[in-house]
Amino acid sequence: MTTKRKTKREDALTMLERKFGRLSVAEFLWAWRVGDEMSQKQFAKKLGISVQSLCDLEKGRRIPSPARAAKIAKKLGYSEPALIMIALRDSLHAAGFNYKVTIESA
């Protein structure tokens, strides 16, 4: 018998979304940066991206690819599957699709 167990951060994501609605990558990054009391310049440096790229991500003008979402998650110590899921969901939403997205490792 196998059991699936979500990480604490994934459980927190589910709980937050139930209370506040769908979370986007833009909102996630902005909230993380503000919560850590960092400027965009400091946060961009931590993520290894340009300030303009961070600004575009925070404003929702760009949605990261799954690979980029994984790199960002890793730099933050956050769940890679959770941030990839949010990024994929953002991409589908931007294209007009309202699908539930889940990620499982093989």
Side-chain angles (χ1 to χ4, degrees):
M1 180 171 106
T2 61
T3 59
K4 295 179 185 176
R5 180 183 161 115
K6 293 180 180 178
T7 67
K8 288 181 183 179
R9 290 187 192 254
E10 289 171 318
D11 289 343
L13 175 63
T14 301
M15 180 188 71
L16 286 170
E17 288 191 333
R18 266 193 223 119
K19 187 168 183 171
F20 300 108
R22 187 178 71 82
L23 177 69
S24 68
V25 173
E27 294 163 329
F28 171 85
L29 290 174
W30 178 85
W32 193 290
R33 179 176 65 80
V34 171
D36 279 356
E37 298 179 346
M38 297 178 87
S39 68
Q40 279 189 331
K41 185 176 181 178
Q42 292 168 320
F43 197 53
K45 184 175 181 177
K46 179 177 183 165
L47 297 179
I49 62 176
S50 71
V51 175
Q52 184 60 52
S53 289
L54 176 60
C55 185
D56 287 344
L57 289 169
E58 283 188 357
K59 297 289 184 187
R61 291 187 293 254
R62 290 187 159 239
I63 299 168
S65 68
R68 190 170 198 192
K71 286 179 186 177
I72 290 170
K74 190 172 185 177
K75 297 229 177 179
L76 295 175
Y78 187 70
S79 166
E80 290 178 34
L83 197 55
I84 291 168
M85 179 189 72
I86 295 168
L88 289 171
R89 193 173 54 189
D90 284 354
S91 294
L92 290 169
H93 184 76
F97 298 104
N98 189 22
Y99 292 116
K100 181 178 179 178
V101 177
T102 57
I103 302 283
E104 289 183 16
S105 61

